[in-house]
């Protein structure tokens, strides 16, 4: 069982939980003021897309997938990040 | 170079990826529409967001991440004969932890409805209920998939088809996980 748990996926789980706490703290803190909260929000979006990428690469095992499939997923993450930040800033 | 057991392969049946990318596209459109509407009424959206329970949202993120990890470990166990007997229990464990998401979401909805908040309250809450409701439907489907996968995982001599079926179902569950990561950030945190 120990050999099963000692994987990159377990380490990534710790990282994902830590990043969730960071995002939650950034989103909950009200002391930034409106302009600085926009910067915090952009950071929250960046962390979210980074987490999506980690889930894709290590949980869905796309890290070991054929280049085409992995590239499609990486492209999706990139487009999602671009789209969300652009809509947040300019909509 | 990747080790032999990690030779490049498509996780699951290739067809499952059409479904997954299609679902991801639908949610991406909804995320874009939400941010477009937010742009028109930023104060209303920020004020309404303050009524959400961010602690429950964060807890649900941790719940899905933990459930996903158990399913990943079940996938690994399926492929390693000496550890295969763990696969069923890990999959059921993943489903059990995942079911906590539904309970917490039910509590969250109850909180909102008790406070007089409904989809008709304003645009923010309309999108809140549509996005989280559609995602909740995916969670419930995903839980049913995990129960089916647990029977596949109980097979002592799984074929390549069994393993591919398991991987495809697991990927659906991981997609449900990462869609929540975006929904939580977008609806509960970003303002």
């Amino acid at each position: 069982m120990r050999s099963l748990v000692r994987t990159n996926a377990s380490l990534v789980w710790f990282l994902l939980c830590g990043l969730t706490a960071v995002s939650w703290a950034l989103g909950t803190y009200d002391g930034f003021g409106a302009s600085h909260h926009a910067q915090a929000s952009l950071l929250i979006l960046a962390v979210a897309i980074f987490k999506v990428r980690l889930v894709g690469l290590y949980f869905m095992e796309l890290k070991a997938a054929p280049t085409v499939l992995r590239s499609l997923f990486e492209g999706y993450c990139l487009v999602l990040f671009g789209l969300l930040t652009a809509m947040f800033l300019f909509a | 170079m990747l080790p032999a057991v990690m030779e490049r392969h498509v996780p699951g049946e290739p067809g499952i990826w059409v479904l997954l990318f299609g679902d991801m596209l639908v949610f991406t459109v909804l995320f874009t529409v939400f941010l477009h509407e937010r742009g028109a009424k930023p104060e209303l959206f920020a004020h309404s967001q303050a009524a959400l329970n961010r602690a429950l949202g964060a807890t649900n993120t941790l719940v899905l991440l933990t459930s996903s990890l158990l399913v990943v470990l079940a996938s690994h166990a399926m492929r390693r004969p000496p550890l295969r007997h763990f696969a069923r229990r890990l999959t059921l464990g993943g489903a059990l932890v995942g079911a906590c998401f539904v309970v917490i979401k039910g509590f969250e909805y109850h909180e909102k409805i008790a406070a007089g908040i409904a989809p008709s309250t304003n645009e923010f809450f309309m999108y809140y209920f549509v996005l989280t409701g559609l995602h909740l439907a995916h969670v419930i489907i995903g839980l049913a998939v995990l129960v089916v996968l647990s029977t596949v995982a109980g097979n002592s001599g799984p074929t390549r088809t069994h393993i591919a079926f398991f991987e495809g179902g697991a990927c659906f569950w991981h997609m449900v996980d990462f869609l929540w990561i975006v929904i939580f950030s977008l609806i509960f945190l970003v303002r």
Side-chain angles (χ1 to χ4, degrees), chain A residues 44-64:
Chain A
I44 290 166
L45 285 177
V47 168
I49 304 306
F50 180 61
K51 286 164 70 181
V52 168
R53 187 170 175 268
L54 287 178
V55 170
L57 294 188
Y58 292 94
F59 286 7
M60 295 170 127
E61 301 183 332
L62 290 172
K63 197 175 170 61

Side-chain angles (χ1 to χ4, degrees), chain A residues 22-90:
Chain A
V22 170
S23 297
W24 177 73
L26 283 171
T28 307
Y29 183 59
D30 280 324
F32 291 121
S35 61
H36 286 92
H37 209 285
Q39 291 167 13
S41 294
L42 286 174
L43 190 56
I44 290 166
L45 285 177
V47 168
I49 304 306
F50 180 61
K51 286 164 70 181
V52 168
R53 187 170 175 268
L54 287 178
V55 170
L57 294 188
Y58 292 94
F59 286 7
M60 295 170 127
E61 301 183 332
L62 290 172
K63 197 175 170 61
T67 311
V68 174
L69 184 58
R70 180 174 172 172
S71 302
L72 274 173
F73 182 75
E74 299 265 23
Y76 170 76
C77 291
L78 203 62
V79 168
L80 186 62
F81 180 64
L83 203 56
L84 296 186
T85 50
M87 291 302 290
F88 176 75
L89 290 171
F90 306 117

Side-chain angles (χ1 to χ4, degrees), chain B residues 68-88:
Chain B
S68 261
L69 177 65
L70 291 172
V71 174
V72 171
L73 299 181
S75 275
H76 291 183
M78 279 278 283
R79 291 191 292 254
R80 292 157 74 177
L83 300 169
R84 198 164 279 159
H85 59 283
F86 288 117
R88 185 165 187 271

Side-chain angles (χ1 to χ4, degrees), chain A residues 1 3-7 9-10 13 16-18 20-21 23-24 26-30 34 37-38 41-42 44-45 47-49 51-52 55-56 58-67 69-70 72-73 76 79-80 83-85 87-89 91, chain B residues 2 6-11 17 20-21 24-25 27-28 31-33 35-36 38-40 49 54-55 58 61-62 65-66 68-69 72-73 75-77 79-80 83 86 90 167 171-172 174-175 177-179 181-182 184-186 188-191:
Chain A
M1 184 67 180
S3 67
L4 194 61
V5 176
R6 282 184 179 169
T7 62
S10 301
W13 177 83
L16 287 165
C17 291
T20 300
S23 297
W24 177 73
L26 283 171
T28 307
Y29 183 59
D30 280 324
H37 209 285
S41 294
L42 286 174
I44 290 166
L45 285 177
V47 168
I49 304 306
K51 286 164 70 181
V52 168
V55 170
Y58 292 94
F59 286 7
M60 295 170 127
E61 301 183 332
L62 290 172
K63 197 175 170 61
T67 311
L69 184 58
R70 180 174 172 172
L72 274 173
F73 182 75
Y76 170 76
V79 168
L80 186 62
L83 203 56
L84 296 186
T85 50
M87 291 302 290
F88 176 75
L89 290 171
Chain B
L2 292 162
M6 289 292 283
E7 274 174 20
R8 292 202 175 276
H9 83 291
V10 176
W17 289 95
L20 298 186
F21 277 109
M24 286 151 66
L25 192 65
F27 272 95
T28 302
F31 299 153
T32 309
V33 172
L35 284 174
H36 182 262
R38 174 197 166 275
Q49 189 195 62
R54 294 189 179 106
T61 308
L62 298 178
L65 287 173
T66 305
S68 261
L69 177 65
V72 171
L73 299 181
S75 275
H76 291 183
R79 291 191 292 254
R80 292 157 74 177
L83 300 169
F86 288 117
L90 284 165
E167 288 176 349
C171 282
F172 178 81
H174 301 317
M175 180 198 69
D177 182 3
F178 77 59
L179 286 175
I181 288 172
V182 181
F184 172 57
S185 302
L186 215 52
F188 288 69
L189 303 178
V190 164
R191 60 186 178 278

